[in-house]
Amino acid sequence: MTHSFFFLGIPGGWEWIVIILVVVLLFGGRKIPELMKGLGQGMKEFRKARNEEPTKDDIDEKK
């Protein structure tokens, strides 16, 4: 049974542990909350922009 990186699919239990360990080692424990806060703000802004309907002024500005 051969495993390829591209065919693994969703990570299981051990894979998540390894991913979390690598993230902690790379960024350190103090930076992780800051990274998650930035990620959350980015997702919030993306949802807000996606849900906003363009106004006539926005459409005219693009022309």
Side-chain angles (χ1 to χ4, degrees):
M1 179 167 157
T2 61
H3 292 286
S4 176
F5 180 73
F6 298 108
F7 299 108
L8 287 177
I10 299 173
W14 283 106
E15 288 88 2
W16 280 114
I17 292 171
V18 171
I19 291 169
I20 291 170
L21 182 64
V22 168
V23 169
V24 169
L25 290 174
L26 287 176
F27 297 107
R30 294 181 183 178
K31 288 286 185 180
I32 294 174
E34 295 174 20
L35 291 171
M36 294 299 113
K37 182 179 178 183
L39 180 65
Q41 287 175 345
M43 290 172 54
K44 181 180 177 182
E45 290 176 15
F46 176 77
R47 280 193 216 118
K48 180 182 174 187
R50 186 183 62 186
N51 292 331
E52 289 180 354
E53 293 183 24
T55 62
K56 185 175 176 159
D57 294 333
D58 293 336
I59 295 170
D60 290 338
E61 287 178 10
K62 291 182 182 180
K63 290 183 180 180

PDB file of all heavy atoms in Angstrom, residues 11-45:
ATOM      1  N   PRO A  11      -6.452  15.183   6.838  1.00  0.00           N
ATOM      2  CA  PRO A  11      -5.523  14.632   7.834  1.00  0.00           C
ATOM      3  C   PRO A  11      -6.260  13.967   8.990  1.00  0.00           C
ATOM      4  O   PRO A  11      -7.305  14.434   9.437  1.00  0.00           O
ATOM      5  CB  PRO A  11      -4.749  15.847   8.338  1.00  0.00           C
ATOM      6  CG  PRO A  11      -4.993  16.920   7.356  1.00  0.00           C
ATOM      7  CD  PRO A  11      -6.291  16.613   6.675  1.00  0.00           C
ATOM      8  N   GLY A  12      -5.682  12.886   9.489  1.00  0.00           N
ATOM      9  CA  GLY A  12      -6.239  12.172  10.625  1.00  0.00           C
ATOM     10  C   GLY A  12      -5.630  12.664  11.925  1.00  0.00           C
ATOM     11  O   GLY A  12      -5.023  13.736  11.983  1.00  0.00           O
ATOM     12  N   GLY A  13      -5.747  11.881  12.978  1.00  0.00           N
ATOM     13  CA  GLY A  13      -5.281  12.274  14.308  1.00  0.00           C
ATOM     14  C   GLY A  13      -3.800  12.554  14.391  1.00  0.00           C
ATOM     15  O   GLY A  13      -3.374  13.614  14.847  1.00  0.00           O
ATOM     16  N   TRP A  14      -2.966  11.612  13.947  1.00  0.00           N
ATOM     17  CA  TRP A  14      -1.526  11.800  14.039  1.00  0.00           C
ATOM     18  C   TRP A  14      -1.035  12.920  13.127  1.00  0.00           C
ATOM     19  O   TRP A  14      -0.104  13.640  13.481  1.00  0.00           O
ATOM     20  CB  TRP A  14      -0.791  10.507  13.693  1.00  0.00           C
ATOM     21  CG  TRP A  14      -0.831   9.529  14.814  1.00  0.00           C
ATOM     22  CD1 TRP A  14      -1.573   8.398  14.873  1.00  0.00           C
ATOM     23  CD2 TRP A  14      -0.123   9.625  16.049  1.00  0.00           C
ATOM     24  NE1 TRP A  14      -1.372   7.773  16.068  1.00  0.00           N
ATOM     25  CE2 TRP A  14      -0.485   8.503  16.814  1.00  0.00           C
ATOM     26  CE3 TRP A  14       0.766  10.540  16.587  1.00  0.00           C
ATOM     27  CZ2 TRP A  14       0.033   8.282  18.087  1.00  0.00           C
ATOM     28  CZ3 TRP A  14       1.264  10.325  17.854  1.00  0.00           C
ATOM     29  CH2 TRP A  14       0.902   9.202  18.587  1.00  0.00           C
ATOM     30  N   GLU A  15      -1.667  13.054  11.975  1.00  0.00           N
ATOM     31  CA  GLU A  15      -1.254  14.121  11.062  1.00  0.00           C
ATOM     32  C   GLU A  15      -1.490  15.495  11.674  1.00  0.00           C
ATOM     33  O   GLU A  15      -0.676  16.400  11.547  1.00  0.00           O
ATOM     34  CB  GLU A  15      -1.993  14.002   9.725  1.00  0.00           C
ATOM     35  CG  GLU A  15      -1.534  12.835   8.882  1.00  0.00           C
ATOM     36  CD  GLU A  15      -2.287  11.553   9.196  1.00  0.00           C
ATOM     37  OE1 GLU A  15      -3.206  11.576  10.051  1.00  0.00           O
ATOM     38  OE2 GLU A  15      -1.953  10.529   8.579  1.00  0.00           O
ATOM     39  N   TRP A  16      -2.628  15.669  12.365  1.00  0.00           N
ATOM     40  CA  TRP A  16      -2.910  16.953  13.014  1.00  0.00           C
ATOM     41  C   TRP A  16      -1.899  17.246  14.122  1.00  0.00           C
ATOM     42  O   TRP A  16      -1.475  18.388  14.308  1.00  0.00           O
ATOM     43  CB  TRP A  16      -4.328  16.977  13.584  1.00  0.00           C
ATOM     44  CG  TRP A  16      -5.360  17.254  12.528  1.00  0.00           C
ATOM     45  CD1 TRP A  16      -6.314  16.396  12.107  1.00  0.00           C
ATOM     46  CD2 TRP A  16      -5.523  18.449  11.768  1.00  0.00           C
ATOM     47  NE1 TRP A  16      -7.064  16.989  11.116  1.00  0.00           N
ATOM     48  CE2 TRP A  16      -6.593  18.256  10.892  1.00  0.00           C
ATOM     49  CE3 TRP A  16      -4.852  19.670  11.739  1.00  0.00           C
ATOM     50  CZ2 TRP A  16      -7.014  19.238   9.994  1.00  0.00           C
ATOM     51  CZ3 TRP A  16      -5.279  20.645  10.835  1.00  0.00           C
ATOM     52  CH2 TRP A  16      -6.345  20.419   9.985  1.00  0.00           C
ATOM     53  N   ILE A  17      -1.526  16.223  14.855  1.00  0.00           N
ATOM     54  CA  ILE A  17      -0.537  16.411  15.920  1.00  0.00           C
ATOM     55  C   ILE A  17       0.783  16.876  15.326  1.00  0.00           C
ATOM     56  O   ILE A  17       1.421  17.807  15.838  1.00  0.00           O
ATOM     57  CB  ILE A  17      -0.374  15.115  16.737  1.00  0.00           C
ATOM     58  CG1 ILE A  17      -1.655  14.835  17.529  1.00  0.00           C
ATOM     59  CG2 ILE A  17       0.837  15.203  17.667  1.00  0.00           C
ATOM     60  CD1 ILE A  17      -1.699  13.488  18.207  1.00  0.00           C
ATOM     61  N   VAL A  18       1.208  16.254  14.231  1.00  0.00           N
ATOM     62  CA  VAL A  18       2.466  16.647  13.583  1.00  0.00           C
ATOM     63  C   VAL A  18       2.363  18.062  13.034  1.00  0.00           C
ATOM     64  O   VAL A  18       3.294  18.859  13.190  1.00  0.00           O
ATOM     65  CB  VAL A  18       2.833  15.640  12.469  1.00  0.00           C
ATOM     66  CG1 VAL A  18       3.996  16.144  11.645  1.00  0.00           C
ATOM     67  CG2 VAL A  18       3.138  14.280  13.062  1.00  0.00           C
ATOM     68  N   ILE A  19       1.240  18.406  12.408  1.00  0.00           N
ATOM     69  CA  ILE A  19       1.053  19.755  11.865  1.00  0.00           C
ATOM     70  C   ILE A  19       1.116  20.797  12.975  1.00  0.00           C
ATOM     71  O   ILE A  19       1.795  21.825  12.851  1.00  0.00           O
ATOM     72  CB  ILE A  19      -0.287  19.842  11.099  1.00  0.00           C
ATOM     73  CG1 ILE A  19      -0.204  19.007   9.820  1.00  0.00           C
ATOM     74  CG2 ILE A  19      -0.642  21.288  10.780  1.00  0.00           C
ATOM     75  CD1 ILE A  19      -1.540  18.802   9.134  1.00  0.00           C
ATOM     76  N   ILE A  20       0.428  20.549  14.073  1.00  0.00           N
ATOM     77  CA  ILE A  20       0.431  21.495  15.196  1.00  0.00           C
ATOM     78  C   ILE A  20       1.834  21.623  15.788  1.00  0.00           C
ATOM     79  O   ILE A  20       2.284  22.732  16.107  1.00  0.00           O
ATOM     80  CB  ILE A  20      -0.602  21.060  16.264  1.00  0.00           C
ATOM     81  CG1 ILE A  20      -2.013  21.241  15.707  1.00  0.00           C
ATOM     82  CG2 ILE A  20      -0.423  21.839  17.561  1.00  0.00           C
ATOM     83  CD1 ILE A  20      -3.099  20.636  16.562  1.00  0.00           C
ATOM     84  N   LEU A  21       2.531  20.526  15.914  1.00  0.00           N
ATOM     85  CA  LEU A  21       3.896  20.551  16.440  1.00  0.00           C
ATOM     86  C   LEU A  21       4.819  21.374  15.536  1.00  0.00           C
ATOM     87  O   LEU A  21       5.600  22.188  16.032  1.00  0.00           O
ATOM     88  CB  LEU A  21       4.426  19.122  16.590  1.00  0.00           C
ATOM     89  CG  LEU A  21       5.822  18.972  17.164  1.00  0.00           C
ATOM     90  CD1 LEU A  21       5.855  19.489  18.599  1.00  0.00           C
ATOM     91  CD2 LEU A  21       6.256  17.520  17.121  1.00  0.00           C
ATOM     92  N   VAL A  22       4.702  21.199  14.245  1.00  0.00           N
ATOM     93  CA  VAL A  22       5.531  21.964  13.308  1.00  0.00           C
ATOM     94  C   VAL A  22       5.213  23.448  13.395  1.00  0.00           C
ATOM     95  O   VAL A  22       6.128  24.288  13.410  1.00  0.00           O
ATOM     96  CB  VAL A  22       5.341  21.435  11.863  1.00  0.00           C
ATOM     97  CG1 VAL A  22       5.958  22.373  10.848  1.00  0.00           C
ATOM     98  CG2 VAL A  22       5.930  20.047  11.728  1.00  0.00           C
ATOM     99  N   VAL A  23       3.929  23.804  13.478  1.00  0.00           N
ATOM    100  CA  VAL A  23       3.538  25.208  13.585  1.00  0.00           C
ATOM    101  C   VAL A  23       4.094  25.824  14.865  1.00  0.00           C
ATOM    102  O   VAL A  23       4.629  26.941  14.855  1.00  0.00           O
ATOM    103  CB  VAL A  23       1.998  25.359  13.524  1.00  0.00           C
ATOM    104  CG1 VAL A  23       1.563  26.758  13.905  1.00  0.00           C
ATOM    105  CG2 VAL A  23       1.501  25.008  12.133  1.00  0.00           C
ATOM    106  N   VAL A  24       4.001  25.112  15.975  1.00  0.00           N
ATOM    107  CA  VAL A  24       4.519  25.624  17.244  1.00  0.00           C
ATOM    108  C   VAL A  24       6.038  25.800  17.167  1.00  0.00           C
ATOM    109  O   VAL A  24       6.577  26.802  17.632  1.00  0.00           O
ATOM    110  CB  VAL A  24       4.123  24.699  18.419  1.00  0.00           C
ATOM    111  CG1 VAL A  24       4.873  25.060  19.687  1.00  0.00           C
ATOM    112  CG2 VAL A  24       2.632  24.765  18.664  1.00  0.00           C
ATOM    113  N   LEU A  25       6.720  24.854  16.565  1.00  0.00           N
ATOM    114  CA  LEU A  25       8.168  24.961  16.446  1.00  0.00           C
ATOM    115  C   LEU A  25       8.584  26.107  15.530  1.00  0.00           C
ATOM    116  O   LEU A  25       9.583  26.788  15.791  1.00  0.00           O
ATOM    117  CB  LEU A  25       8.760  23.641  15.943  1.00  0.00           C
ATOM    118  CG  LEU A  25       8.718  22.482  16.930  1.00  0.00           C
ATOM    119  CD1 LEU A  25       9.194  21.207  16.257  1.00  0.00           C
ATOM    120  CD2 LEU A  25       9.566  22.782  18.158  1.00  0.00           C
ATOM    121  N   LEU A  26       7.849  26.316  14.453  1.00  0.00           N
ATOM    122  CA  LEU A  26       8.203  27.380  13.515  1.00  0.00           C
ATOM    123  C   LEU A  26       7.915  28.775  14.059  1.00  0.00           C
ATOM    124  O   LEU A  26       8.720  29.694  13.903  1.00  0.00           O
ATOM    125  CB  LEU A  26       7.459  27.190  12.188  1.00  0.00           C
ATOM    126  CG  LEU A  26       7.944  26.064  11.308  1.00  0.00           C
ATOM    127  CD1 LEU A  26       7.039  25.941  10.079  1.00  0.00           C
ATOM    128  CD2 LEU A  26       9.375  26.294  10.865  1.00  0.00           C
ATOM    129  N   PHE A  27       6.745  28.948  14.663  1.00  0.00           N
ATOM    130  CA  PHE A  27       6.318  30.279  15.060  1.00  0.00           C
ATOM    131  C   PHE A  27       6.442  30.553  16.552  1.00  0.00           C
ATOM    132  O   PHE A  27       6.417  31.705  16.968  1.00  0.00           O
ATOM    133  CB  PHE A  27       4.865  30.509  14.630  1.00  0.00           C
ATOM    134  CG  PHE A  27       4.688  30.459  13.146  1.00  0.00           C
ATOM    135  CD1 PHE A  27       4.075  29.379  12.552  1.00  0.00           C
ATOM    136  CD2 PHE A  27       5.131  31.494  12.344  1.00  0.00           C
ATOM    137  CE1 PHE A  27       3.899  29.321  11.183  1.00  0.00           C
ATOM    138  CE2 PHE A  27       4.969  31.450  10.976  1.00  0.00           C
ATOM    139  CZ  PHE A  27       4.356  30.359  10.400  1.00  0.00           C
ATOM    140  N   GLY A  28       6.536  29.551  17.362  1.00  0.00           N
ATOM    141  CA  GLY A  28       6.594  29.757  18.803  1.00  0.00           C
ATOM    142  C   GLY A  28       5.204  29.931  19.387  1.00  0.00           C
ATOM    143  O   GLY A  28       4.260  30.315  18.705  1.00  0.00           O
ATOM    144  N   GLY A  29       5.081  29.656  20.655  1.00  0.00           N
ATOM    145  CA  GLY A  29       3.790  29.709  21.330  1.00  0.00           C
ATOM    146  C   GLY A  29       3.186  31.097  21.426  1.00  0.00           C
ATOM    147  O   GLY A  29       1.974  31.248  21.470  1.00  0.00           O
ATOM    148  N   ARG A  30       4.012  32.118  21.433  1.00  0.00           N
ATOM    149  CA  ARG A  30       3.496  33.476  21.600  1.00  0.00           C
ATOM    150  C   ARG A  30       2.914  34.043  20.320  1.00  0.00           C
ATOM    151  O   ARG A  30       2.052  34.911  20.359  1.00  0.00           O
ATOM    152  CB  ARG A  30       4.602  34.394  22.100  1.00  0.00           C
ATOM    153  CG  ARG A  30       5.072  34.030  23.486  1.00  0.00           C
ATOM    154  CD  ARG A  30       6.135  34.961  23.979  1.00  0.00           C
ATOM    155  NE  ARG A  30       6.618  34.530  25.293  1.00  0.00           N
ATOM    156  CZ  ARG A  30       7.566  35.126  25.940  1.00  0.00           C
ATOM    157  NH1 ARG A  30       8.179  36.158  25.397  1.00  0.00           N
ATOM    158  NH2 ARG A  30       7.944  34.694  27.114  1.00  0.00           N
ATOM    159  N   LYS A  31       3.389  33.609  19.183  1.00  0.00           N
ATOM    160  CA  LYS A  31       2.927  34.152  17.908  1.00  0.00           C
ATOM    161  C   LYS A  31       1.631  33.517  17.417  1.00  0.00           C
ATOM    162  O   LYS A  31       0.930  34.099  16.607  1.00  0.00           O
ATOM    163  CB  LYS A  31       4.000  33.954  16.825  1.00  0.00           C
ATOM    164  CG  LYS A  31       5.200  34.831  16.980  1.00  0.00           C
ATOM    165  CD  LYS A  31       4.845  36.233  16.595  1.00  0.00           C
ATOM    166  CE  LYS A  31       6.078  37.108  16.633  1.00  0.00           C
ATOM    167  NZ  LYS A  31       5.783  38.466  16.271  1.00  0.00           N
ATOM    168  N   ILE A  32       1.302  32.340  17.879  1.00  0.00           N
ATOM    169  CA  ILE A  32       0.132  31.624  17.369  1.00  0.00           C
ATOM    170  C   ILE A  32      -1.170  32.396  17.609  1.00  0.00           C
ATOM    171  O   ILE A  32      -1.981  32.508  16.689  1.00  0.00           O
ATOM    172  CB  ILE A  32       0.074  30.196  17.928  1.00  0.00           C
ATOM    173  CG1 ILE A  32       1.259  29.407  17.370  1.00  0.00           C
ATOM    174  CG2 ILE A  32      -1.235  29.508  17.574  1.00  0.00           C
ATOM    175  CD1 ILE A  32       1.419  28.034  17.930  1.00  0.00           C
ATOM    176  N   PRO A  33      -1.430  32.958  18.794  1.00  0.00           N
ATOM    177  CA  PRO A  33      -2.665  33.736  18.955  1.00  0.00           C
ATOM    178  C   PRO A  33      -2.749  34.922  17.999  1.00  0.00           C
ATOM    179  O   PRO A  33      -3.817  35.228  17.467  1.00  0.00           O
ATOM    180  CB  PRO A  33      -2.617  34.200  20.410  1.00  0.00           C
ATOM    181  CG  PRO A  33      -1.759  33.204  21.098  1.00  0.00           C
ATOM    182  CD  PRO A  33      -0.737  32.794  20.075  1.00  0.00           C
ATOM    183  N   GLU A  34      -1.606  35.574  17.750  1.00  0.00           N
ATOM    184  CA  GLU A  34      -1.596  36.690  16.806  1.00  0.00           C
ATOM    185  C   GLU A  34      -1.911  36.213  15.396  1.00  0.00           C
ATOM    186  O   GLU A  34      -2.659  36.868  14.659  1.00  0.00           O
ATOM    187  CB  GLU A  34      -0.239  37.385  16.825  1.00  0.00           C
ATOM    188  CG  GLU A  34       0.090  38.053  18.138  1.00  0.00           C
ATOM    189  CD  GLU A  34       1.511  38.597  18.169  1.00  0.00           C
ATOM    190  OE1 GLU A  34       2.091  38.804  17.091  1.00  0.00           O
ATOM    191  OE2 GLU A  34       2.028  38.813  19.268  1.00  0.00           O
ATOM    192  N   LEU A  35      -1.368  35.070  15.008  1.00  0.00           N
ATOM    193  CA  LEU A  35      -1.637  34.516  13.683  1.00  0.00           C
ATOM    194  C   LEU A  35      -3.110  34.157  13.528  1.00  0.00           C
ATOM    195  O   LEU A  35      -3.731  34.427  12.494  1.00  0.00           O
ATOM    196  CB  LEU A  35      -0.773  33.281  13.440  1.00  0.00           C
ATOM    197  CG  LEU A  35       0.711  33.505  13.291  1.00  0.00           C
ATOM    198  CD1 LEU A  35       1.453  32.176  13.284  1.00  0.00           C
ATOM    199  CD2 LEU A  35       1.001  34.272  12.017  1.00  0.00           C
ATOM    200  N   MET A  36      -3.692  33.542  14.561  1.00  0.00           N
ATOM    201  CA  MET A  36      -5.105  33.157  14.497  1.00  0.00           C
ATOM    202  C   MET A  36      -6.012  34.382  14.456  1.00  0.00           C
ATOM    203  O   MET A  36      -7.026  34.396  13.754  1.00  0.00           O
ATOM    204  CB  MET A  36      -5.475  32.274  15.689  1.00  0.00           C
ATOM    205  CG  MET A  36      -4.794  30.919  15.693  1.00  0.00           C
ATOM    206  SD  MET A  36      -5.208  29.946  14.253  1.00  0.00           S
ATOM    207  CE  MET A  36      -3.656  29.885  13.406  1.00  0.00           C
ATOM    208  N   LYS A  37      -5.645  35.436  15.192  1.00  0.00           N
ATOM    209  CA  LYS A  37      -6.430  36.671  15.176  1.00  0.00           C
ATOM    210  C   LYS A  37      -6.416  37.283  13.782  1.00  0.00           C
ATOM    211  O   LYS A  37      -7.450  37.693  13.258  1.00  0.00           O
ATOM    212  CB  LYS A  37      -5.863  37.662  16.193  1.00  0.00           C
ATOM    213  CG  LYS A  37      -6.634  38.950  16.279  1.00  0.00           C
ATOM    214  CD  LYS A  37      -6.033  39.877  17.319  1.00  0.00           C
ATOM    215  CE  LYS A  37      -6.782  41.184  17.369  1.00  0.00           C
ATOM    216  NZ  LYS A  37      -6.184  42.122  18.324  1.00  0.00           N
ATOM    217  N   GLY A  38      -5.253  37.326  13.166  1.00  0.00           N
ATOM    218  CA  GLY A  38      -5.142  37.858  11.809  1.00  0.00           C
ATOM    219  C   GLY A  38      -5.921  37.027  10.808  1.00  0.00           C
ATOM    220  O   GLY A  38      -6.573  37.565   9.909  1.00  0.00           O
ATOM    221  N   LEU A  39      -5.873  35.716  10.961  1.00  0.00           N
ATOM    222  CA  LEU A  39      -6.620  34.827  10.072  1.00  0.00           C
ATOM    223  C   LEU A  39      -8.119  35.051  10.234  1.00  0.00           C
ATOM    224  O   LEU A  39      -8.859  35.135   9.245  1.00  0.00           O
ATOM    225  CB  LEU A  39      -6.269  33.370  10.376  1.00  0.00           C
ATOM    226  CG  LEU A  39      -6.961  32.320   9.534  1.00  0.00           C
ATOM    227  CD1 LEU A  39      -6.542  32.439   8.088  1.00  0.00           C
ATOM    228  CD2 LEU A  39      -6.644  30.937  10.073  1.00  0.00           C
ATOM    229  N   GLY A  40      -8.577  35.192  11.466  1.00  0.00           N
ATOM    230  CA  GLY A  40      -9.998  35.440  11.725  1.00  0.00           C
ATOM    231  C   GLY A  40     -10.461  36.768  11.145  1.00  0.00           C
ATOM    232  O   GLY A  40     -11.540  36.857  10.567  1.00  0.00           O
ATOM    233  N   GLN A  41      -9.645  37.803  11.284  1.00  0.00           N
ATOM    234  CA  GLN A  41     -10.013  39.102  10.734  1.00  0.00           C
ATOM    235  C   GLN A  41     -10.065  39.050   9.215  1.00  0.00           C
ATOM    236  O   GLN A  41     -10.947  39.643   8.595  1.00  0.00           O
ATOM    237  CB  GLN A  41      -9.023  40.171  11.196  1.00  0.00           C
ATOM    238  CG  GLN A  41      -9.173  40.543  12.649  1.00  0.00           C
ATOM    239  CD  GLN A  41      -8.110  41.520  13.113  1.00  0.00           C
ATOM    240  OE1 GLN A  41      -7.097  41.723  12.449  1.00  0.00           O
ATOM    241  NE2 GLN A  41      -8.332  42.124  14.271  1.00  0.00           N
ATOM    242  N   GLY A  42      -9.134  38.342   8.618  1.00  0.00           N
ATOM    243  CA  GLY A  42      -9.137  38.207   7.161  1.00  0.00           C
ATOM    244  C   GLY A  42     -10.371  37.484   6.671  1.00  0.00           C
ATOM    245  O   GLY A  42     -10.982  37.876   5.666  1.00  0.00           O
ATOM    246  N   MET A  43     -10.766  36.422   7.364  1.00  0.00           N
ATOM    247  CA  MET A  43     -11.973  35.676   6.982  1.00  0.00           C
ATOM    248  C   MET A  43     -13.220  36.548   7.145  1.00  0.00           C
ATOM    249  O   MET A  43     -14.129  36.515   6.309  1.00  0.00           O
ATOM    250  CB  MET A  43     -12.094  34.410   7.823  1.00  0.00           C
ATOM    251  CG  MET A  43     -11.064  33.365   7.489  1.00  0.00           C
ATOM    252  SD  MET A  43     -11.023  31.961   8.600  1.00  0.00           S
ATOM    253  CE  MET A  43     -12.701  31.398   8.578  1.00  0.00           C
ATOM    254  N   LYS A  44     -13.244  37.346   8.219  1.00  0.00           N
ATOM    255  CA  LYS A  44     -14.389  38.224   8.466  1.00  0.00           C
ATOM    256  C   LYS A  44     -14.515  39.268   7.354  1.00  0.00           C
ATOM    257  O   LYS A  44     -15.609  39.509   6.840  1.00  0.00           O
ATOM    258  CB  LYS A  44     -14.213  38.913   9.822  1.00  0.00           C
ATOM    259  CG  LYS A  44     -15.333  39.827  10.218  1.00  0.00           C
ATOM    260  CD  LYS A  44     -15.061  40.443  11.570  1.00  0.00           C
ATOM    261  CE  LYS A  44     -16.124  41.438  11.978  1.00  0.00           C
ATOM    262  NZ  LYS A  44     -15.837  42.060  13.270  1.00  0.00           N
ATOM    263  N   GLU A  45     -13.393  39.870   6.952  1.00  0.00           N
ATOM    264  CA  GLU A  45     -13.414  40.863   5.887  1.00  0.00           C
ATOM    265  C   GLU A  45     -13.811  40.221   4.556  1.00  0.00           C
ATOM    266  O   GLU A  45     -14.538  40.832   3.765  1.00  0.00           O
ATOM    267  CB  GLU A  45     -12.050  41.534   5.763  1.00  0.00           C
ATOM    268  CG  GLU A  45     -11.720  42.433   6.924  1.00  0.00           C
ATOM    269  CD  GLU A  45     -10.327  43.021   6.830  1.00  0.00           C
ATOM    270  OE1 GLU A  45      -9.715  42.959   5.740  1.00  0.00           O
ATOM    271  OE2 GLU A  45      -9.846  43.549   7.844  1.00  0.00           O
TER     272      GLU A  45
END
